[in-house]
Amino acid sequence: MGAPMDVLEIRGVVKSFGGVRALQDVTFSVRQGEIRAIIGPNGAGKSTLFNVMTGLFPPDSGEVIFDGERVSGVPPYRIIRKGVGRSFQITNIFPRMTVFENVQVALFAHHRSSRNPVGLARRYPAVASEALGILGQVGLAEKYEQSASILSHGDQKRLEIAISLASRPRLLMLDEPTAGMSRFESRETVELLRTISREQGLTLVFTEHDMDIVFGISEKIVVLQQGMVIADGTPAEIRANPQVRKAYLGEEISA
Amino acid sequence: MALLELDGVNTYYGRSHILFDVSLSVAKGEVVALLGRNGAGKSTTFRSVIGLTAPRSGEVRFKGEKVNGLRAFRICRRGIGFVPEDRRCFPDLTVRENLEVATRREKQAENPWTVDRVYALFPRLQERERNLGSQLSGGEQQMLTIARTLMTNPELLLLDEPSEGLAPLVVALLAEMILQIRKEGVTVLLAEQNLHFCAKVADRGYVIDKGSVKYEGTMKDLLADDEVKEKYLAV
Amino acid sequence: MMATIDVSFLTVQVLSALRQAAFLFLISSGLTLIFGVLNILNFAHGALYMLGAYFIYALTLHLTGPAGFVVALLAAPLGVALIAAVIETGLLRRIYVQEEIYQLLLTYALVLIIDDLAKIVFGPEYKSIPKPDAISGAVTIFGGTVPVYTLLVLVLAPAIALVLWYLLYRTRTGKIVRATSSDREMADALGINMSALFTLVFAFGAILAGFGGALAGPARTVFPGVGTEVIIESFVVVVIGGLGNLWGALIGSLLIGTLETVGIIVFPEFEMSLIYLLMVAILVVRPWGLFGRPLKIKALSEKNLGMEAQEISPVHFSVNPLVRVIPVLLLLAVPLVTGRFYQYLLTQIFIASLVAVAFNLLLGTTGLLSFGQAAFYGVGAYTVGLLATKAGVSTLPALLLAPVFAAAVAALIGFFCVRLSGVHFAMLTLAFGQLVFTIAFKWYGFTGGDNGIQGIPVRPLPGGVEIGSTQAMYYFALAVVGVSVEILRRIRSSPFGSTLKAIRENTQRAAYLGVNVKLYQWAAFVIAGAFTGLAGGLYALMEKSITPDIIHWTKSGEPVFMTIIGGIYTFAGPMVGAVVFTVLNSYLVAWTEKWALVLGIILLVMVLLLPGGVVGFVNEKARAAFGKRGWVRRWTFSKSAAS
């Protein structure tokens, strides 16, 4: 049972695909405002866990609790409305819309203006300034007129974060936020995430393969291997954990 | 002369730059490991070699001839076999059919692989001959994709994370099989995160991180180098 | 006595059902095979069937006797395969990396072209194909009279099915085909030449269609356009069975063959409607068909085929409102300087424009390719026609009810369709459209059947305004269409419209904004249906008579054509396309019988060379040319990031 401060609880989540167990009894919880990494070797079940947590598919058993409310089995669009944001490993933006429109449409969805078919989208000054504000936060304000498809990879990732932020989430889940970025871009993105989390009290859950980033910013880390949680603790605890070491370097095989 | 050479290879997915000037070489008869964590660029290196994601610059040479720019099936016919990390058995085909699909008739290999020969190497596959690809366990799928790729009579086998997600006992068995394949005269380039698995099978290793090669040397030296291990492989 | 009658009757009916199923299977197995491997839904498959029938017709003119017939039966499908191989290597291959709707459109263009070529070569009339004496008689089985030819079909079709099974499951090439349909990239990496395999599979699918045509030709008749009938039935079969699944094609063929036979006996008026109802019933339970799986698009990496996809950019500026007024002013002045012919032509263009703009709310804005818009057009037209003739309703109320009824029908159809996407969506809208068509076509008591409704009265508007004359109708249509197009433009520029664009660009991401994607797609479908219905109502008033032809699926192709010509990512594109289409249509029809051929070639060229459409192309050039001259830009384009 999590403490009252827990914003996210994963309880005994099991998920199989065609007989292969992708997740086996995964349990952990995330506190309000925490920066939490989920790591593990390829195929450990990180993406599956992410997809279960954001409603892409329901768990076979177990449950996901967000803010004291069960969200497993709820379709993604409803989970998002409850205050969960998500970014994707493969950059997931609206390529043939402008940078501004990308964020604007997210804000429309958030403010429930999407259903208005008669007003003009450009006559929403509050939304426009909010969008520009968010773009400023991620450093894209000057590129607001550009088509999203011509942005650099790093900018596209940033745009995706901006889109996620526009839903004003209390919990933001990021799947490999720096994948494919240059070192410089990664460092900037990490700073950005840290600032946003600190300023807005936003809870961050992310997966990442860059260990410098994982150990640089997370407060707690959960390690998955073959669909099971093999460790859950602070960066120092994880670094010292022999089982984690083995998961990454493999068992010593007797010759 | 090296069997496979990568010379300053740069590969992109769309706008995103993944491999930075990757150079490496594999001599005939060797087993070479390409080590690195998730997302380090191992799979992209393999995809660049086999032609599924062609490099934007640099050169890939096989037996001294440039192969980058050729389509995947042509590179395969030159003698490079690729076993992807997610295995990808054909799910609607039986084990035997999976093997038959890969049989190449146009190439005159000296001692061509046959279904019987790969069954001798992987007896488990013979037992499951009539099962569909989708009905196999993870270890069996791994054996099937390796066996299937052998049917194309490769001189060089690219194995992408063969030990991933397998139980320790199966991993040990797999190591035996790789050594056996090598004895049959096939050169192996292996992408792995599992250092101890590589220690068992490989002669030399490259360590790749963030799309560029950080270290190269014999497996023995690599095992002894705690700094490299900590920095690029462990957590 | 009764018992023997029943047995003979039953025998005849069972054999007739099986014969029907046999023909269906030959066509749909090829269709589903091609889809499984190439990921292309081949609209032209019906046309290939037709070619098979024409080829055997042409061959049996010279080859007589049983031996000649056998040679013709074998040679006809090979001829079809040859044509298919040329189509695949010359045309289809160029657009594998484009979005799937362009592949669909290319094969649709081929339908127009092949149909008209057939008309040129073989003439417009129905042809019957003589059978050798040995197989033209009938035999008595259990007291029922059965044509010998039916028995021949019932031997040959299962034999073909067996051969197909043998080839796919017992030969190496067959195994490669099955492997490729589940993982192209892996097959590629195992040394299999995809390009060669694609040609082979496309040609082989064509052999099946051609053989179907060659075998069915002597039993039925052949005429230009027979393919458009056949393809719809095959679509229903493969939708029911599951796209890409051969067992599905077999079971689907048996189901539809049986239902058609039973339907003719039990509900002779609505046997065709029955098959669509069965399809709906199955899709409610299994959206991907009996044996189908949700498709994971097995994207070809660009390098696989050695080419790069062309990116078609939506246009990011809109025309200045002042500039937009100019064409309206010009149109208001037109009747002052022209006669009735041009007024009538322009009225047609207005109506076509509304259909196309409404259609593009789905295609260009939401990313849904509907091939069933004629249904809503028809509902609107029949609403006006029936209310005016049968209920004596006045013109304006009748016209206002047209979009209401069309929206209601769209709401129902849309409920099923938005659960699917891509080609599945296109096929389902097509099939639903045909369901509406068959009802209108056969329900003599209500819709007048194929006679349609004649003499629709046009009564004065409230206030005594007469709109019966060509000129009055011109202004009336201009007003109605003008207001409707402006509303649609507003919708496109609204937050709702932005959300639709987001769904088009990235459905998954849109869902992760908290958008109920299916609901929005459904809403767009209903809105498009309503305006299409309004256009249909106007059409009924303009023509004062309607026939079910306006609901046939080939009419659903017209807005597709217009929109692609004009450009799908521009608001004005579909209207420009409507002008081009309507003008071509009326002039070409006057000049030549072959207007469909010309349209087909234009569509083909557009898909291959100018996928952004005329307006997209002009915009691009205009932006490049005038973009730097401040005053031109200020006056012509009101540039805004929120367009």
Side-chain angles (χ1 to χ4, degrees), chain C residues 105-156:
Chain C
L105 289 169
L106 191 139
T107 60
Y108 173 62
L110 290 172
V111 173
L112 300 174
I113 294 170
I114 296 175
D115 271 6
D116 246 22
L117 285 177
K119 203 185 286 178
I120 294 166
V121 176
F122 297 102
E125 64 279 2
Y126 284 58
K127 304 275 187 203
S128 54
I129 293 142
K131 297 181 282 259
D133 293 341
I135 49 168
S136 53
V139 289
T140 307
I141 303 173
F142 295 122
T145 309
V146 179
V148 175
Y149 197 76
T150 297
L151 297 179
L152 180 73
V153 170
L154 291 184
V155 172
L156 284 180

Short mmCIF file of all heavy atoms in Angstrom, two decimals, chain C residues 105-156:
data_model
loop_
_atom_site.label_atom_id
_atom_site.label_comp_id
_atom_site.label_asym_id
_atom_site.label_seq_id
_atom_site.Cartn_x
_atom_site.Cartn_y
_atom_site.Cartn_z
N LEU C 105 -6.10 4.85 -55.32
CA LEU C 105 -6.55 5.76 -56.38
C LEU C 105 -5.97 5.37 -57.73
O LEU C 105 -6.63 5.47 -58.75
CB LEU C 105 -6.16 7.19 -56.03
CG LEU C 105 -6.97 7.77 -54.88
CD1 LEU C 105 -6.37 9.08 -54.41
CD2 LEU C 105 -8.41 7.97 -55.30
N LEU C 106 -4.73 4.91 -57.71
CA LEU C 106 -4.12 4.51 -58.98
C LEU C 106 -4.89 3.33 -59.58
O LEU C 106 -5.20 3.32 -60.78
CB LEU C 106 -2.66 4.13 -58.77
CG LEU C 106 -1.88 3.97 -60.07
CD1 LEU C 106 -0.50 4.57 -59.93
CD2 LEU C 106 -1.76 2.54 -60.51
N THR C 107 -5.24 2.36 -58.74
CA THR C 107 -5.97 1.22 -59.30
C THR C 107 -7.38 1.66 -59.72
O THR C 107 -7.95 1.11 -60.65
CB THR C 107 -6.03 0.04 -58.32
OG1 THR C 107 -6.68 0.44 -57.12
CG2 THR C 107 -4.66 -0.49 -58.00
N TYR C 108 -7.91 2.69 -59.03
CA TYR C 108 -9.22 3.20 -59.44
C TYR C 108 -9.13 3.87 -60.82
O TYR C 108 -10.00 3.69 -61.67
CB TYR C 108 -9.74 4.17 -58.38
CG TYR C 108 -11.02 4.87 -58.77
CD1 TYR C 108 -12.18 4.15 -59.01
CD2 TYR C 108 -11.06 6.25 -58.92
CE1 TYR C 108 -13.35 4.79 -59.38
CE2 TYR C 108 -12.22 6.90 -59.29
CZ TYR C 108 -13.36 6.16 -59.53
OH TYR C 108 -14.51 6.80 -59.91
N ALA C 109 -8.05 4.61 -61.02
CA ALA C 109 -7.84 5.23 -62.34
C ALA C 109 -7.77 4.14 -63.42
O ALA C 109 -8.30 4.30 -64.52
CB ALA C 109 -6.55 6.05 -62.34
N LEU C 110 -7.14 3.02 -63.07
CA LEU C 110 -7.05 1.92 -64.04
C LEU C 110 -8.43 1.37 -64.40
O LEU C 110 -8.67 0.94 -65.52
CB LEU C 110 -6.17 0.81 -63.47
CG LEU C 110 -4.68 1.15 -63.38
CD1 LEU C 110 -3.94 0.07 -62.62
CD2 LEU C 110 -4.10 1.31 -64.78
N VAL C 111 -9.34 1.37 -63.40
CA VAL C 111 -10.69 0.90 -63.68
C VAL C 111 -11.30 1.75 -64.78
O VAL C 111 -11.84 1.24 -65.77
CB VAL C 111 -11.58 1.00 -62.40
CG1 VAL C 111 -13.03 0.68 -62.74
CG2 VAL C 111 -11.06 0.06 -61.33
N LEU C 112 -11.20 3.08 -64.63
CA LEU C 112 -11.77 3.98 -65.64
C LEU C 112 -11.14 3.73 -67.00
O LEU C 112 -11.83 3.68 -68.03
CB LEU C 112 -11.54 5.44 -65.22
CG LEU C 112 -12.15 5.89 -63.89
CD1 LEU C 112 -11.71 7.31 -63.55
CD2 LEU C 112 -13.66 5.79 -63.94
N ILE C 113 -9.83 3.56 -67.01
CA ILE C 113 -9.11 3.41 -68.27
C ILE C 113 -9.44 2.08 -68.94
O ILE C 113 -9.80 2.03 -70.12
CB ILE C 113 -7.59 3.53 -68.03
CG1 ILE C 113 -7.24 4.95 -67.57
CG2 ILE C 113 -6.81 3.16 -69.28
CD1 ILE C 113 -5.82 5.12 -67.08
N ILE C 114 -9.34 1.00 -68.17
CA ILE C 114 -9.54 -0.33 -68.77
C ILE C 114 -10.99 -0.48 -69.26
O ILE C 114 -11.25 -1.01 -70.34
CB ILE C 114 -9.17 -1.44 -67.76
CG1 ILE C 114 -7.68 -1.36 -67.42
CG2 ILE C 114 -9.50 -2.81 -68.33
CD1 ILE C 114 -7.24 -2.34 -66.35
N ASP C 115 -11.94 0.03 -68.47
CA ASP C 115 -13.34 -0.08 -68.88
C ASP C 115 -13.57 0.60 -70.22
O ASP C 115 -14.25 0.06 -71.10
CB ASP C 115 -14.25 0.56 -67.82
CG ASP C 115 -14.66 -0.44 -66.75
OD1 ASP C 115 -14.15 -1.59 -66.78
OD2 ASP C 115 -15.48 -0.10 -65.89
N ASP C 116 -13.01 1.80 -70.35
CA ASP C 116 -13.24 2.52 -71.60
C ASP C 116 -12.49 1.91 -72.77
O ASP C 116 -12.99 1.88 -73.89
CB ASP C 116 -12.87 4.00 -71.42
CG ASP C 116 -14.11 4.87 -71.52
OD1 ASP C 116 -15.21 4.33 -71.30
OD2 ASP C 116 -13.98 6.06 -71.83
N LEU C 117 -11.29 1.42 -72.50
CA LEU C 117 -10.55 0.74 -73.57
C LEU C 117 -11.34 -0.47 -74.05
O LEU C 117 -11.42 -0.73 -75.26
CB LEU C 117 -9.17 0.32 -73.07
CG LEU C 117 -8.14 1.45 -72.93
CD1 LEU C 117 -6.83 0.89 -72.36
CD2 LEU C 117 -7.89 2.13 -74.27
N ALA C 118 -11.94 -1.18 -73.10
CA ALA C 118 -12.73 -2.35 -73.49
C ALA C 118 -13.89 -1.93 -74.37
O ALA C 118 -14.23 -2.59 -75.35
CB ALA C 118 -13.24 -3.07 -72.24
N LYS C 119 -14.48 -0.77 -74.01
CA LYS C 119 -15.61 -0.28 -74.79
C LYS C 119 -15.16 0.06 -76.22
O LYS C 119 -15.85 -0.20 -77.19
CB LYS C 119 -16.19 0.96 -74.11
CG LYS C 119 -17.63 1.24 -74.48
CD LYS C 119 -18.13 2.55 -73.87
CE LYS C 119 -18.39 2.45 -72.39
NZ LYS C 119 -18.82 3.75 -71.83
N ILE C 120 -13.97 0.65 -76.31
CA ILE C 120 -13.46 1.01 -77.63
C ILE C 120 -13.18 -0.24 -78.46
O ILE C 120 -13.54 -0.32 -79.63
CB ILE C 120 -12.15 1.84 -77.49
CG1 ILE C 120 -12.47 3.18 -76.83
CG2 ILE C 120 -11.49 2.05 -78.84
CD1 ILE C 120 -11.25 3.93 -76.34
N VAL C 121 -12.54 -1.21 -77.84
CA VAL C 121 -12.13 -2.39 -78.59
C VAL C 121 -13.31 -3.31 -78.89
O VAL C 121 -13.47 -3.80 -80.00
CB VAL C 121 -11.04 -3.17 -77.83
CG1 VAL C 121 -10.68 -4.45 -78.56
CG2 VAL C 121 -9.81 -2.29 -77.66
N PHE C 122 -14.16 -3.54 -77.88
CA PHE C 122 -15.18 -4.58 -78.03
C PHE C 122 -16.59 -4.01 -78.23
O PHE C 122 -17.53 -4.75 -78.45
CB PHE C 122 -15.18 -5.50 -76.82
CG PHE C 122 -13.90 -6.25 -76.64
CD1 PHE C 122 -12.96 -5.85 -75.70
CD2 PHE C 122 -13.61 -7.36 -77.43
CE1 PHE C 122 -11.77 -6.54 -75.55
CE2 PHE C 122 -12.41 -8.05 -77.28
CZ PHE C 122 -11.49 -7.64 -76.34
N GLY C 123 -16.74 -2.69 -78.11
CA GLY C 123 -18.06 -2.10 -78.28
C GLY C 123 -18.85 -2.10 -77.00
O GLY C 123 -18.55 -2.85 -76.08
N PRO C 124 -19.87 -1.23 -76.93
CA PRO C 124 -20.59 -1.05 -75.67
C PRO C 124 -21.61 -2.16 -75.39
O PRO C 124 -22.11 -2.25 -74.28
CB PRO C 124 -21.30 0.30 -75.89
CG PRO C 124 -21.47 0.39 -77.36
CD PRO C 124 -20.31 -0.33 -77.98
N GLU C 125 -21.92 -3.00 -76.39
CA GLU C 125 -23.05 -3.92 -76.18
C GLU C 125 -22.64 -5.15 -75.38
O GLU C 125 -21.46 -5.46 -75.22
CB GLU C 125 -23.65 -4.33 -77.53
CG GLU C 125 -22.72 -5.11 -78.43
CD GLU C 125 -21.75 -4.20 -79.21
OE1 GLU C 125 -21.77 -2.96 -79.00
OE2 GLU C 125 -20.97 -4.72 -80.01
N TYR C 126 -23.67 -5.83 -74.87
CA TYR C 126 -23.44 -7.08 -74.14
C TYR C 126 -22.99 -8.16 -75.12
O TYR C 126 -23.53 -8.29 -76.20
CB TYR C 126 -24.74 -7.55 -73.46
CG TYR C 126 -25.09 -6.76 -72.22
CD1 TYR C 126 -25.25 -5.38 -72.28
CD2 TYR C 126 -25.27 -7.40 -71.00
CE1 TYR C 126 -25.57 -4.65 -71.15
CE2 TYR C 126 -25.59 -6.68 -69.86
CZ TYR C 126 -25.74 -5.32 -69.94
OH TYR C 126 -26.04 -4.61 -68.82
N LYS C 127 -22.00 -8.93 -74.74
CA LYS C 127 -21.53 -10.02 -75.59
C LYS C 127 -21.82 -11.33 -74.87
O LYS C 127 -21.56 -11.46 -73.67
CB LYS C 127 -20.01 -9.94 -75.81
CG LYS C 127 -19.53 -8.63 -76.37
CD LYS C 127 -19.63 -8.60 -77.86
CE LYS C 127 -18.97 -7.35 -78.40
NZ LYS C 127 -19.48 -7.01 -79.73
N SER C 128 -22.31 -12.30 -75.63
CA SER C 128 -22.37 -13.62 -75.02
C SER C 128 -21.35 -14.51 -75.71
O SER C 128 -21.04 -14.33 -76.89
CB SER C 128 -23.78 -14.20 -75.10
OG SER C 128 -24.22 -14.18 -76.44
N ILE C 129 -20.82 -15.41 -74.94
CA ILE C 129 -19.71 -16.22 -75.43
C ILE C 129 -20.24 -17.62 -75.73
O ILE C 129 -20.82 -18.26 -74.85
CB ILE C 129 -18.59 -16.25 -74.38
CG1 ILE C 129 -18.00 -14.84 -74.25
CG2 ILE C 129 -17.51 -17.26 -74.75
CD1 ILE C 129 -17.64 -14.47 -72.86
N PRO C 130 -20.08 -18.06 -76.97
CA PRO C 130 -20.62 -19.37 -77.32
C PRO C 130 -19.85 -20.50 -76.64
O PRO C 130 -18.63 -20.43 -76.49
CB PRO C 130 -20.43 -19.44 -78.84
CG PRO C 130 -19.30 -18.52 -79.12
CD PRO C 130 -19.36 -17.43 -78.09
N LYS C 131 -20.60 -21.49 -76.20
CA LYS C 131 -19.97 -22.66 -75.59
C LYS C 131 -19.99 -23.78 -76.62
O LYS C 131 -20.94 -23.88 -77.39
CB LYS C 131 -20.74 -23.10 -74.35
CG LYS C 131 -20.74 -22.06 -73.24
CD LYS C 131 -21.49 -22.54 -72.02
CE LYS C 131 -22.99 -22.45 -72.17
NZ LYS C 131 -23.62 -21.31 -71.50
N PRO C 132 -18.99 -24.63 -76.62
CA PRO C 132 -19.04 -25.79 -77.51
C PRO C 132 -20.25 -26.64 -77.15
O PRO C 132 -20.69 -26.65 -75.99
CB PRO C 132 -17.75 -26.54 -77.23
CG PRO C 132 -16.91 -25.64 -76.39
CD PRO C 132 -17.77 -24.59 -75.82
N ASP C 133 -20.77 -27.39 -78.13
CA ASP C 133 -21.97 -28.19 -77.89
C ASP C 133 -21.83 -29.13 -76.71
O ASP C 133 -22.77 -29.34 -75.95
CB ASP C 133 -22.30 -29.01 -79.16
CG ASP C 133 -22.70 -28.07 -80.29
OD1 ASP C 133 -23.05 -26.90 -79.97
OD2 ASP C 133 -22.64 -28.48 -81.46
N ALA C 134 -20.64 -29.67 -76.58
CA ALA C 134 -20.43 -30.70 -75.55
C ALA C 134 -20.77 -30.19 -74.16
O ALA C 134 -21.14 -30.98 -73.28
CB ALA C 134 -18.98 -31.18 -75.57
N ILE C 135 -20.66 -28.90 -73.95
CA ILE C 135 -20.91 -28.40 -72.59
C ILE C 135 -22.04 -27.36 -72.57
O ILE C 135 -22.17 -26.61 -71.63
CB ILE C 135 -19.62 -27.78 -71.98
CG1 ILE C 135 -18.99 -26.80 -72.96
CG2 ILE C 135 -18.64 -28.84 -71.56
CD1 ILE C 135 -17.91 -25.96 -72.34
N SER C 136 -22.85 -27.34 -73.61
CA SER C 136 -23.90 -26.33 -73.58
C SER C 136 -25.26 -26.92 -73.25
O SER C 136 -26.22 -26.19 -73.10
CB SER C 136 -23.95 -25.58 -74.91
OG SER C 136 -24.05 -26.51 -75.96
N GLY C 137 -25.34 -28.20 -73.07
CA GLY C 137 -26.63 -28.80 -72.75
C GLY C 137 -26.93 -28.76 -71.26
O GLY C 137 -26.35 -27.99 -70.51
N ALA C 138 -27.89 -29.59 -70.88
CA ALA C 138 -28.24 -29.69 -69.47
C ALA C 138 -28.46 -31.15 -69.12
O ALA C 138 -28.73 -31.97 -69.99
CB ALA C 138 -29.50 -28.88 -69.17
N VAL C 139 -28.29 -31.45 -67.86
CA VAL C 139 -28.54 -32.82 -67.41
C VAL C 139 -29.56 -32.76 -66.27
O VAL C 139 -29.80 -31.70 -65.69
CB VAL C 139 -27.26 -33.52 -66.90
CG1 VAL C 139 -26.33 -33.83 -68.05
CG2 VAL C 139 -26.58 -32.67 -65.84
N THR C 140 -30.12 -33.89 -65.98
CA THR C 140 -31.11 -33.94 -64.90
C THR C 140 -30.47 -34.64 -63.70
O THR C 140 -29.96 -35.74 -63.81
CB THR C 140 -32.35 -34.71 -65.35
OG1 THR C 140 -32.80 -34.10 -66.57
CG2 THR C 140 -33.44 -34.63 -64.31
N ILE C 141 -30.47 -33.92 -62.58
CA ILE C 141 -29.92 -34.50 -61.36
C ILE C 141 -31.01 -34.42 -60.29
O ILE C 141 -31.55 -33.34 -60.04
CB ILE C 141 -28.68 -33.75 -60.88
CG1 ILE C 141 -27.61 -33.73 -61.98
CG2 ILE C 141 -28.12 -34.36 -59.60
CD1 ILE C 141 -26.42 -32.87 -61.68
N PHE C 142 -31.36 -35.53 -59.71
CA PHE C 142 -32.44 -35.60 -58.71
C PHE C 142 -33.68 -34.86 -59.21
O PHE C 142 -34.34 -34.14 -58.48
CB PHE C 142 -32.00 -34.98 -57.37
CG PHE C 142 -30.89 -35.74 -56.70
CD1 PHE C 142 -29.69 -35.13 -56.38
CD2 PHE C 142 -31.07 -37.09 -56.38
CE1 PHE C 142 -28.68 -35.83 -55.76
CE2 PHE C 142 -30.05 -37.80 -55.76
CZ PHE C 142 -28.85 -37.17 -55.45
N GLY C 143 -33.95 -35.02 -60.49
CA GLY C 143 -35.15 -34.41 -61.04
C GLY C 143 -34.99 -32.94 -61.39
O GLY C 143 -35.89 -32.33 -61.95
N GLY C 144 -33.85 -32.35 -61.08
CA GLY C 144 -33.65 -30.93 -61.40
C GLY C 144 -32.82 -30.78 -62.66
O GLY C 144 -31.93 -31.60 -62.92
N THR C 145 -33.10 -29.75 -63.44
CA THR C 145 -32.34 -29.53 -64.67
C THR C 145 -31.14 -28.63 -64.36
O THR C 145 -31.30 -27.51 -63.87
CB THR C 145 -33.23 -28.86 -65.73
OG1 THR C 145 -34.42 -29.62 -65.83
CG2 THR C 145 -32.53 -28.81 -67.07
N VAL C 146 -29.96 -29.14 -64.65
CA VAL C 146 -28.74 -28.40 -64.32
C VAL C 146 -27.91 -28.28 -65.59
O VAL C 146 -27.65 -29.28 -66.26
CB VAL C 146 -27.92 -29.14 -63.24
CG1 VAL C 146 -26.65 -28.39 -62.93
CG2 VAL C 146 -28.75 -29.36 -61.99
N PRO C 147 -27.48 -27.05 -65.96
CA PRO C 147 -26.63 -26.90 -67.13
C PRO C 147 -25.32 -27.67 -66.96
O PRO C 147 -24.76 -27.69 -65.85
CB PRO C 147 -26.35 -25.40 -67.21
CG PRO C 147 -27.37 -24.76 -66.33
CD PRO C 147 -27.76 -25.77 -65.31
N VAL C 148 -24.86 -28.28 -68.02
CA VAL C 148 -23.59 -29.00 -67.96
C VAL C 148 -22.47 -28.04 -67.57
O VAL C 148 -21.55 -28.39 -66.83
CB VAL C 148 -23.28 -29.65 -69.33
CG1 VAL C 148 -21.90 -30.29 -69.32
CG2 VAL C 148 -24.34 -30.68 -69.67
N TYR C 149 -22.61 -26.79 -68.08
CA TYR C 149 -21.55 -25.82 -67.81
C TYR C 149 -21.39 -25.56 -66.32
O TYR C 149 -20.28 -25.38 -65.82
CB TYR C 149 -21.84 -24.51 -68.56
CG TYR C 149 -20.63 -23.63 -68.66
CD1 TYR C 149 -19.61 -23.93 -69.56
CD2 TYR C 149 -20.48 -22.53 -67.84
CE1 TYR C 149 -18.49 -23.15 -69.66
CE2 TYR C 149 -19.34 -21.73 -67.91
CZ TYR C 149 -18.35 -22.04 -68.83
OH TYR C 149 -17.23 -21.27 -68.91
N THR C 150 -22.53 -25.56 -65.59
CA THR C 150 -22.45 -25.39 -64.14
C THR C 150 -21.60 -26.48 -63.51
O THR C 150 -20.77 -26.22 -62.64
CB THR C 150 -23.87 -25.41 -63.53
OG1 THR C 150 -24.59 -24.31 -64.05
CG2 THR C 150 -23.83 -25.34 -62.01
N LEU C 151 -21.81 -27.72 -64.01
CA LEU C 151 -21.02 -28.82 -63.46
C LEU C 151 -19.54 -28.62 -63.77
O LEU C 151 -18.68 -28.86 -62.93
CB LEU C 151 -21.51 -30.15 -64.04
CG LEU C 151 -22.96 -30.50 -63.67
CD1 LEU C 151 -23.36 -31.82 -64.32
CD2 LEU C 151 -23.14 -30.56 -62.16
N LEU C 152 -19.26 -28.13 -64.97
CA LEU C 152 -17.87 -27.86 -65.34
C LEU C 152 -17.24 -26.85 -64.38
O LEU C 152 -16.13 -27.05 -63.88
CB LEU C 152 -17.81 -27.35 -66.78
CG LEU C 152 -16.41 -27.04 -67.31
CD1 LEU C 152 -15.65 -28.31 -67.59
CD2 LEU C 152 -16.47 -26.16 -68.56
N VAL C 153 -18.00 -25.79 -64.11
CA VAL C 153 -17.51 -24.76 -63.18
C VAL C 153 -17.26 -25.38 -61.81
O VAL C 153 -16.25 -25.11 -61.15
CB VAL C 153 -18.53 -23.60 -63.06
CG1 VAL C 153 -18.14 -22.65 -61.93
CG2 VAL C 153 -18.63 -22.85 -64.38
N LEU C 154 -18.17 -26.25 -61.40
CA LEU C 154 -18.06 -26.83 -60.07
C LEU C 154 -16.92 -27.85 -59.98
O LEU C 154 -16.52 -28.23 -58.89
CB LEU C 154 -19.38 -27.48 -59.66
CG LEU C 154 -20.49 -26.46 -59.40
CD1 LEU C 154 -21.75 -27.15 -58.91
CD2 LEU C 154 -20.02 -25.40 -58.41
N VAL C 155 -16.44 -28.29 -61.11
CA VAL C 155 -15.24 -29.14 -61.09
C VAL C 155 -13.99 -28.27 -61.14
O VAL C 155 -13.04 -28.46 -60.38
CB VAL C 155 -15.26 -30.12 -62.29
CG1 VAL C 155 -13.92 -30.86 -62.37
CG2 VAL C 155 -16.40 -31.11 -62.11
N LEU C 156 -14.02 -27.27 -62.03
CA LEU C 156 -12.82 -26.47 -62.26
C LEU C 156 -12.47 -25.56 -61.08
O LEU C 156 -11.31 -25.44 -60.70
CB LEU C 156 -12.98 -25.63 -63.53
CG LEU C 156 -12.83 -26.40 -64.84
CD1 LEU C 156 -13.01 -25.47 -66.03
CD2 LEU C 156 -11.46 -27.08 -64.91
#
